């Protein structure tokens, strides 16, 4: 833990993330995080952006109760839907995902997906943007 903490606490947002999250929040779009990260590690990664992450209605992580498997299982996405006050239909949910396993998980959950890949590994069956700044 002591070795990874400095790396996690130095995590930066993807370009365009702050503007997109703020815009969606200000316009009343319900927001959630559904992550394959462990809650403890994700909390460290998000610590320098507390105000921004307070825009999310809730966050679900792979070690949360009710999540039995990580991605590509759809568990974290299905749990995120359940936690909204007015549970949306999965087909009305839009996921921004950076990994192939995450895209597969969101699609299995019945959600719409835009891939924002970290590498050249892309899923051709979904829209792909190289930066959140490109999303319109």
């Amino acid at each position: 833990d002591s070795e990874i903490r400095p790396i996690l606490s130095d995590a930066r947002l993807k370009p365009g993330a702050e503007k997109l999250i703020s815009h969606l929040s200000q316009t009343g779009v319900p927001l959630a995080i559904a992550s394959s990260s462990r809650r403890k590690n994700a909390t460290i990664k998000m610590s320098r952006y507390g105000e921004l992450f307070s825009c999310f209605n809730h966050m679900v992580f792979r070690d949360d109760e009710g999540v039995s498997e990580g991605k590509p299982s759809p568990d974290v996405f299905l749990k995120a839907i359940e936690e909204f006050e007015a549970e949306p239909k999965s087909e009305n949910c839009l996921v921004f995902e950076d990994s192939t396993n995450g895209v597969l998980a969101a699609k299995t959950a019945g959600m719409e997906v835009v891939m924002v890949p970290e590498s050249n590994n892309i899923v051709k069956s979904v829209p792909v943007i190289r930066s959140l700044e490109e999303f319109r």
Side-chain angles (χ1 to χ4, degrees):
D1 277 355
S2 62
E3 292 176 14
I4 197 167
R5 182 176 284 274
I7 295 167
L8 293 175
S9 63
D10 197 37
R12 301 278 186 237
L13 295 172
K14 287 184 175 290
E18 185 170 8
K19 184 177 180 182
L20 180 60
I21 293 166
S22 296
H23 172 74
L24 294 172
S25 177
Q26 290 169 4
T27 56
V29 175
L31 301 171
I33 290 178
S35 175
S36 278
S37 295
R38 289 181 173 84
R39 184 174 287 274
K40 177 181 173 184
N41 291 343
T43 300
I44 295 168
K45 285 173 74 172
M46 295 182 295
S47 62
R48 65 175 25 184
Y49 304 103
E51 186 176 331
L52 183 64
F53 284 99
S54 70
C55 293
F56 290 86
N57 297 69
H58 55 272
M59 301 178 195
V60 178
F61 300 95
R62 79 168 178 199
D63 56 347
D64 285 356
E65 188 175 320
V67 178
S68 58
E69 295 182 57
K71 299 170 186 174
S73 165
D75 288 2
V76 292
F77 290 115
L78 297 174
K79 180 70 174 170
I81 287 175
E82 289 174 12
E83 292 196 12
F84 281 111
E85 192 172 302
E87 191 174 317
K89 293 181 179 179
S90 59
E91 63 265 21
N92 292 332
C93 296
L94 177 61
V95 174
F96 293 96
E97 183 56 64
D98 62 1
S99 73
T100 300
N101 280 345
V103 170
L104 297 173
K107 294 296 284 178
T108 301
M111 299 175 174
E112 296 297 320
V113 185
V114 173
M115 188 174 197
V116 190
E118 293 280 336
S119 67
N120 289 327
N121 295 331
I122 62 170
V123 177
K124 294 180 180 179
S125 63
V126 300
V128 176
I129 56 176
R130 291 292 167 188
S131 167
L132 291 171
E133 294 171 318
E134 295 176 27
F135 184 73
R136 302 281 179 248

